Amino acid sequence: MKKRAAFVLAAGLAFGTLVPSSYAAVQPSKAQQLVHEKMNILQEQWNKKTDSPEFLAGTLSTKPFKSEKEIREFLKANKDIYKINADEELTLIDTQTDNLGMTHYKYTQSVNGVPVEGSEFIVHTDKDGIVKATNGKLRPDASTKMKDKTTAKITSKEAIELAWKHIGVAKKDTEPKTDTAPLVKGKSDVPDTVEKSKLVVYEKNGAYYLTHKVELQFIYPYPANWKIYVDASNGQIVDAYNAVADGATSGYGYGVLGDYKALNTYYSNGTYYLYDVTKPMSGVIETRTAQNGSSLPGVYSVDSNNAWTASSQAADVDAHYYAGVVYDYYKNTHGRNSFDNNGATIRSTVHYSYQYNNAFWNGTQMVYGDGDGRTFAPLSGALDVVAHEITHAVTERTAGLEYRDQPGALNESMSDVFGYFVEPNDYLIGEDVYTPGVSGDALRSLSNPPAYGQPAHMNNYVYTTDDNGGVHTNSGIPNKAAYLTISAIGKAQAEKIYYRALTLYLTSTSNFSNARAALLQSAADLYGYGSATYNAVANAWNQVGVY
Ligand code: L5W
Ligand code: ZN
Ligand code: CA
Ligand code: CA
């Protein structure tokens, strides 16, 4: 290989000034040149950033090195190549002699005794002690960058607490509960929750951090072997991943309208589940099927090959997929973690009852009928309907608007309005599943409530005892006010104002006038009292006759 080095240099000279600048990249570094001068190399891999060898094979020594002590001499003699202070930085962790007579000396690198994560280094000698190979990822710059930084300010106990917080699971909630997750059959079947922590130097994108490497292992609410690197100087999370990879899977399927959807699923014991553990929540998003009509919660929706393509699975696919979309909406737009803002499991059951033309939140979970095929297709097939249902759960846990009269109509309206915010491509509600045989219609419209039999002004308020005081009728009035607001100020401001009013100002007995005040106050908080935005909200409610 000396020859190849010579060729590279000669080629550079031969091209003279005509050598393209990119050619410089293949010029050997000083350490590479040294390797070719001192060793007979058959295979080599280099870490370009640190200019250190990740793999060298051939004949690396001319004399034998037959003990760990002697191997250190080899490393010292080649310090210009490996760039490591063997005595200070390397700790022997294993020696093996194999049936070919080769001996393999395995080391880890450390800084002031703190191991550098992922920096194992192995020296391989033949039966005569000739060094035939070295490999592993040494970090020559770790010592210079970290030698004054190996004292932790955060304790291991604090790091473990921060790690639990990061994954959004409380240790006490990892105690298995019977019949709640596909993998969990009973408490005795599963190992206890394990917490571990050790101090390591961790490299990420070329920067070094002193971290507590925290390992959190549990089986409920999902199988996990988390590795979480907590910065030992400030408690920030440097990196984290779940090493249990055989649980969470990615499947696909077709929705009610026949569209392709990628699905977050779960594999266990030869079966795939609509069970999404990918969200940063303590619970999961899970989807079930009602087996005997109206019994809840039903059984897990399952599939044998993670291709959810049967027409009988379409309602399951959409309920699962859209619940994830709505979770993401609340998390990404409002920082809300699930309906309870505490990461609760979002459960849906589909195929409820028989030809059932409705969907509802029952206080614990979502429930969707299949529709009769004329009035409705399976109701989970509409994202705005799924958002409507999950918003009922959000409302229950925040404003708590009681489901009758004006507070009830506001409750309905909030569900429709967030149905729009989640799926803002039209002002219609339920158009994707309503009357599959008729195109262009919907269940309701925010922009034109009277087109669907709803009032859009207080003059037309319907006084009735039906439907808890006409909650699905009079919602047309606040719906129209929302439409006028969104049209005037845009969705981005409107959704902030509505979320703030719902979660901070509205109460269980708020009426339309109280809603106007709550929204105005939210607009004032966010955009200023008397601002154009504030005035637009006032205007919208004036136009529907609410003062
Ligand atoms: C869609 C059909 C009726 C919306 N709930 C509703 O209060 C509906 C449930 C599913 O208005
Ligand atoms: Zn509703
Ligand atoms: Ca819609
Ligand atoms: Ca229709």
Side-chain angles (χ1 to χ4, degrees):
M1 267 302 134
K2 260 184 197 165
K3 266 188 208 144
R4 204 192 78 173
F7 169 76
V8 170
L9 291 172
L13 287 174
F15 283 103
T17 51
L18 291 176
V19 174
S21 62
S22 62
Y23 194 82
V26 298
Q27 295 288 349
S29 71
K30 225 172 140 191
Q32 282 169 305
Q33 286 184 42
L34 215 51
V35 159
H36 288 278
E37 279 164 25
K38 294 173 78 173
M39 301 169 175
N40 186 8
I41 297 296
L42 298 174
Q43 233 206 118
E44 60 187 310
Q45 285 175 343
W46 288 83
N47 183 321
K48 286 199 190 90
K49 278 195 195 130
T50 56
D51 187 28
S52 62
E54 289 192 352
F55 206 110
L56 293 179
T59 303
L60 277 54
S61 70
T62 44
K63 67 169 204 164
F65 295 89
K66 290 202 150 180
S67 67
E68 202 268 310
K69 200 164 161 246
E70 288 183 13
I71 293 294
R72 285 181 186 272
E73 295 309 318
F74 167 81
L75 294 171
K76 280 184 216 166
N78 290 296
K79 184 153 192 300
D80 290 345
I81 293 168
Y82 294 106
K83 297 175 178 163
I84 207 91
N85 184 332
D87 283 342
E88 269 181 28
E89 296 181 70
L90 294 186
T91 308
L92 184 77
I93 53 169
D94 188 36
T95 308
Q96 284 187 53
T97 299
D98 65 24
N99 50 13
L100 300 177
M102 289 185 74
T103 305
H104 311 269
Y105 302 88
K106 190 171 189 179
Y107 297 87
T108 52
Q109 187 186 344
S110 60
V111 181
N112 298 338
V114 180
V116 179
E117 179 78 342
S119 279
E120 297 96 15
F121 177 69
I122 314 171
V123 180
H124 312 262
T125 64
D126 68 11
K127 60 181 182 343
D128 302 317
I130 301 297
V131 180
K132 302 300 286 182
T134 63
N135 74 292
K137 203 166 268 181
L138 290 171
R139 266 97 169 181
D141 52 343
S143 175
T144 36
K145 288 183 177 157
M146 294 300 290
K147 68 174 181 293
D148 302 325
K149 297 181 184 153
T150 52
T151 307
K153 295 196 181 79
I154 304 280
T155 65
S156 150
K157 190 164 173 271
E158 288 166 334
I160 288 171
E161 273 165 28
L162 289 165
W164 281 112
K165 203 165 157 214
H166 176 73
I167 62 167
V169 177
K171 188 184 176 192
K172 66 174 170 44
D173 294 336
T174 61
E175 289 305 312
K177 293 166 191 145
T178 311
D179 192 31
T180 43
L183 271 190
V184 180
K185 295 194 188 75
K187 199 169 170 171
S188 59
D189 286 348
V190 292
D192 289 333
T193 297
V194 175
E195 300 169 320
K196 289 185 209 165
S197 163
K198 77 170 186 181
L199 209 55
V200 300
V201 170
Y202 188 66
E203 187 260 340
K204 191 180 178 193
N205 302 328
Y208 289 95
Y209 303 84
L210 179 69
T211 65
H212 290 285
K213 178 184 181 181
V214 177
E215 295 180 70
L216 302 177
Q217 295 153 357
F218 51 84
I219 200 80
Y220 180 82
Y222 57 88
N225 184 6
W226 279 99
K227 318 280 178 184
I228 301 157
Y229 298 88
V230 183
D231 194 318
S233 59
N234 58 20
Q236 302 233 338
I237 306 300
V238 178
D239 218 343
Y241 68 96
N242 183 354
V244 177
D246 61 344
T249 44
S250 300
Y252 71 94
Y254 299 117
V256 171
L257 302 183
D259 52 335
Y260 173 96
K261 287 185 169 90
L263 297 169
N264 292 321
T265 57
Y266 200 91
Y267 178 77
S268 177
N269 270 330
T271 301
Y272 292 91
Y273 296 81
L274 290 178
Y275 194 83
D276 179 353
V277 299
T278 68
K279 308 293 184 194
M281 60 202 294
S282 47
V284 298
I285 295 175
E286 62 170 45
T287 301
R288 304 192 184 213
T289 298
Q291 250 187 338
N292 305 307
S294 304
S295 75
L296 289 174
V299 297
Y300 280 106
S301 299
V302 293
D303 192 78
S304 59
N305 66 355
N306 219 7
W308 305 74
T309 52
S311 59
S312 61
Q313 294 174 314
D316 313 53
V317 165
D318 275 341
H320 194 64
Y321 183 86
Y322 287 145
V325 173
V326 176
Y327 173 88
D328 290 345
Y329 169 79
Y330 275 107
K331 184 74 171 55
N332 298 337
T333 307
H334 303 296
R336 185 178 191 82
N337 194 342
S338 190
F339 58 86
D340 67 344
N341 199 19
N342 199 25
T345 287
I346 299 178
R347 178 184 293 164
S348 311
T349 299
V350 295
H351 303 304
Y352 175 78
S353 187
Y354 177 70
Q355 298 192 343
Y356 183 64
N357 284 321
N358 210 342
F360 58 92
W361 164 255
N362 79 347
T364 303
Q365 66 160 101
M366 260 92 54
V367 184
Y368 299 96
D370 285 332
D372 60 9
R374 271 162 38 89
T375 309
F376 274 111
L379 280 91
S380 59
L383 174 57
D384 54 9
V385 168
V386 174
H388 177 110
E389 295 315 325
I390 296 179
T391 301
H392 276 312
V394 174
T395 298
E396 180 195 279
R397 300 303 177 100
T398 54
L401 287 159
E402 55 186 36
Y403 204 62
R404 57 181 172 175
D405 305 322
Q406 284 195 20
L410 278 176
N411 189 323
E412 265 307 306
S413 174
M414 283 294 173
S415 276
D416 283 351
V417 170
F418 280 90
Y420 168 82
F421 289 146
V422 173
E423 190 187 39
N425 34 349
D426 53 59
Y427 284 104
L428 302 171
I429 299 298
E431 68 286 349
D432 285 344
V433 288
Y434 186 65
T435 58
V438 182
S439 64
D441 62 349
L443 194 62
R444 290 185 284 273
S445 162
L446 301 188
S447 58
N448 188 7
Y452 296 96
Q454 289 188 298
H457 192 281
M458 280 307 278
N459 290 342
N460 302 316
Y461 189 94
V462 176
Y463 294 91
T464 172
T465 52
D466 289 352
D467 187 27
N468 288 357
V471 296
H472 290 91
T473 306
N474 292 313
S475 59
I477 295 166
N479 275 357
K480 178 79 186 211
Y483 162 74
L484 294 167
T485 302
I486 297 160
S487 301
I489 64 176
K491 172 182 181 269
Q493 286 195 342
E495 64 195 338
K496 292 282 168 203
I497 292 171
Y498 270 80
Y499 183 75
R500 191 170 173 83
L502 181 66
T503 55
L504 296 174
Y505 287 112
L506 291 170
T507 68
S508 59
T509 54
S510 294
N511 60 23
F512 289 0
S513 180
N514 300 145
R516 173 195 166 109
L519 289 159
L520 278 174
Q521 190 54 44
S522 300
D525 294 347
L526 293 168
Y527 305 109
Y529 181 83
S531 62
T533 301
Y534 180 96
N535 291 337
V537 175
N539 239 318
W541 287 88
N542 290 345
Q543 286 181 68
V544 301
V546 175
Y547 303 98

